[in-house]
Amino acid sequence: MENEVRIKKVLDNMPILFFSLDENLRPVSWNYECERVLGFSSEEILNDKNFSFKNLIQVKGEGESSGFNPELLNSEFKNWELDLISKDGKTKLVSLSNISSESGSINWFVGVDITRTKEIERELTSSLKELSDFQTALNAVSIVAITDKAGTIIYVNQNFCDISGYSRDELLGHNHRIINSGYHPKEFFVDLWKTIAKGKIWKGEIKNKAKDGRYYWVDTTISPILDSNGKPYQYLAIRNDITERKETEEKARHAENNLKILQDRMSPHFLFNTLSIIHSYLQTNPGLADSAILMLADNYRFLMDQANQQLVPFDIEWEFMENYLQLLKLRFSDFLEVESEKSGNFRQCQIPPLTLQPLVENSYIHGLRDRKGKGKISVKASIEDGKTLVTIRDNGKGLSDANIHSRSIANISERLKFYLYDSEVKIENHPEGGAIVTIGFKSAKN
């Protein structure tokens, strides 16, 4: 008798639903967990002769099954998930099992309230679907990459592969230096890493270089993924292609720079000085004066017709530069010697207008104008292995302060990089005195 009391006490206090039903589905026993989950006390259940377990089963719509078949109660072991109605009218989802050892008038059941578990499953399923939908939408329009905390790429989407030209296998395990264009200074990326290493989001525009040498711009947001200690352990980079917009902005800026250069080339001061020299030659050397007038006319025709173009044939740009050299020599014949030499077939070669002449003018103004004695400017052009090389050398005072050359050189360097592949511009002192500017480039970008 004492053992039966102990067993009943254990069963009553088990953290699972434990109850028994007779052949009419009336409760015979009802533990505290049944009371907690369904709200009915054992007294009101057991003392109500009209109460049946069927009263707890949620009624489905017409034609729908309740999920509970009383005929199955006599099975040796049967599991159900039943929607039961609690005393307060709320639905409770219970996982129920028949644990009766043999068929008889009394069947024993155990159950677990899985209402919250199912809610969490549904919420999780819904969240996973939302996350999947978000990922699908993100991958459709954006360039996505994930790196570890050291910057090693561990995930890229197809858009990353498409724009960079690298396969997924070529990108994974590497860092973003594989697409570094060299456009941004070192400090740019130092600042980027300082920001995200602190767990902060970094936003900016980055110029990258694809596998085929093509440059592209991306509007970039890098978001740190934090661990349980709030420290970044991965970085999510979401980028959008803004190459077309940046190129439009660049073209507009270059057009504005070209206009400024054009205005400088057409300055009344230059025209007045040149016409004055031509006038002086009308009496002493009419043939030279006529030639100078034609060169001046050709140069102004170039400025009106070609200077606003993105690219012009190299031969036309060269002719404009040579005319300027000859007009310069005409003005300073006693103090200046000029030389130009071009070798190779430049028929397919193109160059941004107003590239060579400003460099020649730069050599005169900063290299020869204040020089004592006779100065010399030498311009040479050649094509080697598909690359155009141009050198402009003066025998002036050389580079004492590179800043006086920076504006003109920087503008030309930027335009060449924008319009031509593998371009470079450098200025340095020549071993034999004076300065030399070297520019090189390959074919024009489409």
Side-chain angles (χ1 to χ4, degrees):
M1 187 68 175
E2 184 178 348
N3 287 339
E4 290 180 3
V5 172
R6 288 180 179 177
I7 292 173
K8 184 178 185 307
K9 187 175 181 180
V10 170
L11 295 177
D12 280 344
N13 291 280
M14 284 194 306
I16 59 173
L17 288 84
F18 183 82
F19 62 95
S20 59
L21 302 175
D22 64 18
E23 65 271 16
N24 296 316
L25 301 184
R26 290 193 67 255
V28 177
S29 61
W30 192 260
N31 75 344
Y32 295 133
E33 183 69 5
C34 292
E35 181 177 337
R36 187 191 69 79
V37 173
L38 296 172
F40 296 97
S41 67
S42 60
E43 289 78 6
E44 61 184 319
I45 287 287
L46 300 179
N47 293 332
D48 186 354
K49 295 181 179 181
N50 295 319
F51 190 90
S52 169
F53 189 77
K54 290 182 179 180
N55 298 138
L56 301 176
I57 300 173
Q58 186 178 41
V59 178
K60 302 290 184 177
E62 186 176 351
E64 293 185 75
S65 170
S66 67
F68 178 77
N69 183 358
E71 299 297 327
L72 299 175
L73 287 175
N74 293 322
S75 61
E76 291 184 359
F77 194 96
K78 180 65 180 177
N79 297 319
W80 301 272
E81 285 187 2
L82 293 179
D83 285 318
L84 302 180
I85 304 299
S86 64
K87 186 176 181 179
D88 60 7
K90 294 181 179 179
T91 300
K92 299 289 185 176
L93 183 61
V94 175
S95 177
L96 195 64
S97 298
N98 184 347
I99 59 170
S100 303
S101 59
E102 58 184 26
S103 299
S105 59
I106 302 297
N107 284 292
W108 296 88
F109 300 89
V110 293
V112 178
D113 179 13
I114 59 172
T115 306
R116 183 54 187 156
T117 302
K118 285 295 183 179
E119 288 176 355
I120 293 173
E121 286 181 5
R122 286 192 291 268
E123 290 172 1
L124 182 59
T125 300
S126 177
S127 297
L128 289 174
K129 185 179 184 305
E130 289 179 5
L131 183 61
S132 176
D133 291 344
F134 173 76
Q135 184 178 12
T136 299
L138 184 64
N139 283 330
V141 298
S142 297
I143 302 155
V144 182
I146 299 176
T147 72
D148 63 17
K149 64 181 180 180
T152 302
I153 299 171
I154 58 176
Y155 169 82
V156 292
N157 70 346
Q158 187 57 44
N159 288 341
F160 196 118
C161 298
D162 292 342
I163 196 169
S164 70
Y166 290 97
S167 68
R168 187 172 277 102
D169 289 340
E170 289 175 309
L171 293 168
L172 297 180
H174 293 81
N175 57 43
H176 280 81
R177 281 194 291 271
I178 194 173
I179 54 172
N180 191 332
S181 66
Y183 176 84
H184 303 281
K186 181 180 179 181
E187 293 74 20
F188 178 87
F189 293 105
V190 170
D191 175 70
L192 184 159
W193 273 101
K194 281 183 178 179
T195 301
I196 62 177
K198 294 177 181 178
K200 298 179 180 179
I201 294 174
W202 184 92
K203 294 183 178 181
E205 296 177 349
I206 300 178
K207 185 177 184 179
N208 289 329
K209 185 177 182 180
K211 186 177 181 180
D212 61 4
R214 173 181 47 84
Y215 293 101
Y216 63 94
W217 281 89
V218 284
D219 185 24
T220 303
T221 300
I222 302 177
S223 179
I225 302 173
L226 308 180
D227 60 20
S228 58
N229 297 317
K231 301 294 184 181
Y233 75 97
Q234 289 180 349
Y235 299 102
L236 170 64
I238 301 174
R239 304 175 175 90
N240 290 296
D241 184 6
I242 57 170
T243 305
E244 185 175 351
R245 172 173 68 80
K246 294 295 289 187
E247 288 182 348
T248 300
E249 292 174 357
E250 291 271 351
K251 288 176 181 178
R253 188 156 56 85
H254 292 320
E256 183 179 355
N257 288 338
N258 282 359
L259 178 61
K260 291 179 180 178
I261 296 173
L262 173 61
Q263 291 170 339
D264 291 341
R265 304 288 82 78
M266 297 183 72
S267 67
H269 178 72
F270 173 78
L271 179 61
F272 175 78
N273 287 339
T274 304
L275 289 176
S276 296
I277 296 297
I278 292 174
H279 181 265
S280 68
Y281 277 101
L282 286 174
Q283 300 298 325
T284 60
N285 194 336
L288 184 58
D290 287 343
S291 178
I293 290 173
L294 290 176
M295 285 189 292
L296 186 62
D298 285 343
N299 274 17
Y300 271 81
R301 187 178 299 110
F302 172 89
L303 292 172
M304 297 301 295
D305 296 342
Q306 305 290 343
N308 62 344
Q309 302 297 315
Q310 295 177 7
L311 295 168
V312 297
F314 184 88
D315 288 335
I316 293 179
E317 172 72 9
W318 181 265
E319 182 181 359
F320 175 74
M321 180 276 301
E322 282 194 312
N323 284 350
Y324 175 80
L325 266 181
Q326 294 304 319
L327 290 172
L328 201 61
K329 177 176 173 54
L330 183 65
R331 289 176 59 191
F332 307 105
S333 57
D334 294 336
F335 306 99
L336 181 64
E337 179 183 352
V338 298
E339 177 185 70
S340 62
E341 178 184 340
K342 183 176 62 166
S343 60
N345 183 0
F346 291 84
R347 189 170 300 172
Q348 302 299 321
C349 183
Q350 291 182 302
I351 190 172
L354 301 173
T355 295
L356 303 181
Q357 184 271 333
L359 292 176
V360 170
E361 184 178 49
N362 190 75
S363 291
Y364 168 72
I365 292 174
H366 298 297
L368 299 178
R369 185 166 60 182
D370 299 327
R371 180 184 186 277
K372 294 181 179 181
K374 197 165 189 176
K376 181 179 180 179
I377 297 177
S378 174
V379 185
K380 296 182 180 181
S382 63
I383 293 182
E384 300 175 10
D385 298 326
K387 186 168 186 176
T388 302
L389 295 173
V390 181
T391 60
I392 302 167
R393 187 198 163 192
D394 65 71
N395 65 342
K397 59 183 180 180
L399 300 175
S400 56
D401 184 358
N403 290 330
I404 62 176
H405 301 272
S406 61
R407 184 177 179 183
S408 177
I409 298 292
N411 174 269
I412 290 169
S413 175
E414 191 175 340
R415 287 194 296 146
L416 289 178
K417 283 185 178 180
F418 185 75
Y419 290 112
L420 305 170
Y421 284 115
D422 295 336
S423 69
E424 58 179 351
V425 178
K426 62 180 180 180
I427 181 170
E428 54 193 343
N429 284 318
H430 194 275
E432 298 177 7
I436 181 169
V437 178
T438 304
I439 66 174
F441 57 89
K442 288 189 176 180
S443 59
K445 299 177 181 178
N446 295 327

